[in-house]
Amino acid sequence: METLRVLLILGHLMGFATALYLVMSEDMRFLRAQRLDLDALAKNARSVAWALAALFVTGAAVIWLDTGYSPAEIGARPKLVAKIVVVTVLALNGAALHWILFPMLKGPRGGNWSCALLASLLGAVSSVSWLYASFLGVAKPLAGALGLSGFLGLYALALGLGMAGALLVVAPRLRRLMGSAPAAADLSPAL
């Protein structure tokens, strides 16, 4: 059982590293871009969706091995509950990207201010959540001191700061880039 757990954790870590790399590289590419490349964004989003799916599978398997899905056992682990909250936010954010934002980008509203605002806010939630998941991965020594409310409070603070930065810095830049974006080839959902 321990060997299986180690292999699952390794797969989980590799999926996480892949997703984090994809998200951060897309963010860096965006910051350097002269125009918005919707085709590259769509390709990257599909890859992130697959990495997130791998994380769901490996994470769910590790939780089952560690807790047997006992609500009491899961609830007694504040870091685990915080991870589940962050993964849920990532999944909902990804669904909003695929089913709300990407169709907007393809349509006639693809270059308007509300589209830029939504894109920047969803991007901030994504980036902050992936980085916060990194923090949770190494935060075991802080679990006793922070507890669930501390972990969730820090996450809320990070989300608030990330979203404020997105509104002040990213949204205006994204609006300018959207004005020079070519039509997207395929921004359909990956899963």
Side-chain angles (χ1 to χ4, degrees), residues 140-167:
K140 188 173 185 173
L142 302 175
L146 289 176
L148 181 58
S149 62
F151 280 126
L152 294 181
L154 283 175
Y155 182 47
L157 176 64
L159 282 172
L161 291 172
M163 292 171 87
L167 290 174

Side-chain angles (χ1 to χ4, degrees), residues 69-183:
Y69 292 132
S70 163
E73 184 67 29
I74 292 170
R77 299 176 183 212
K79 190 175 83 134
L80 176 58
V81 174
K83 283 182 185 181
I84 292 169
V85 168
V86 171
V87 168
T88 301
V89 168
L90 279 168
L92 293 172
N93 192 69
L97 283 166
H98 285 283
W99 295 323
I100 298 171
L101 179 64
F102 291 168
M104 281 178 72
L105 289 171
K106 285 178 17 179
R109 297 180 298 167
N112 71 18
W113 183 240
S114 63
C115 188
L117 286 175
L118 180 62
S120 63
L121 289 173
L122 292 176
V125 170
S126 177
S127 295
V128 168
S129 296
W130 284 107
L131 289 172
Y132 197 76
S134 299
F135 165 70
L136 288 173
V138 297
K140 188 173 185 173
L142 302 175
L146 289 176
L148 181 58
S149 62
F151 280 126
L152 294 181
L154 283 175
Y155 182 47
L157 176 64
L159 282 172
L161 291 172
M163 292 171 87
L167 290 174
L168 293 172
V169 177
V170 178
R173 175 167 170 68
L174 187 55
R175 175 63 182 101
R176 284 191 302 277
L177 290 176
M178 285 177 161
S180 62

Side-chain angles (χ1 to χ4, degrees), residues 1-82:
M1 226 27 135
E2 198 59 35
T3 301
L4 176 60
R5 187 179 189 285
V6 168
L7 291 173
L8 287 168
I9 294 289
L10 178 62
H12 195 72
L13 182 59
M14 292 175 77
F16 179 78
T18 300
L20 184 62
Y21 167 76
L22 290 168
V23 169
M24 293 299 122
S25 65
E26 186 65 27
D27 288 350
M28 291 299 110
R29 192 174 60 75
F30 164 74
L31 290 174
R32 294 186 312 264
Q34 297 302 313
R35 68 177 183 83
L36 187 60
D37 184 349
L38 297 178
D39 291 328
L41 178 64
K43 182 180 177 186
N44 188 289
R46 285 189 294 274
S47 298
V48 171
W50 282 108
L52 185 58
L55 287 170
F56 274 139
V57 171
T58 56
V62 171
I63 292 170
W64 178 74
L65 287 175
D66 289 353
T67 69
Y69 292 132
S70 163
E73 184 67 29
I74 292 170
R77 299 176 183 212
K79 190 175 83 134
L80 176 58
V81 174

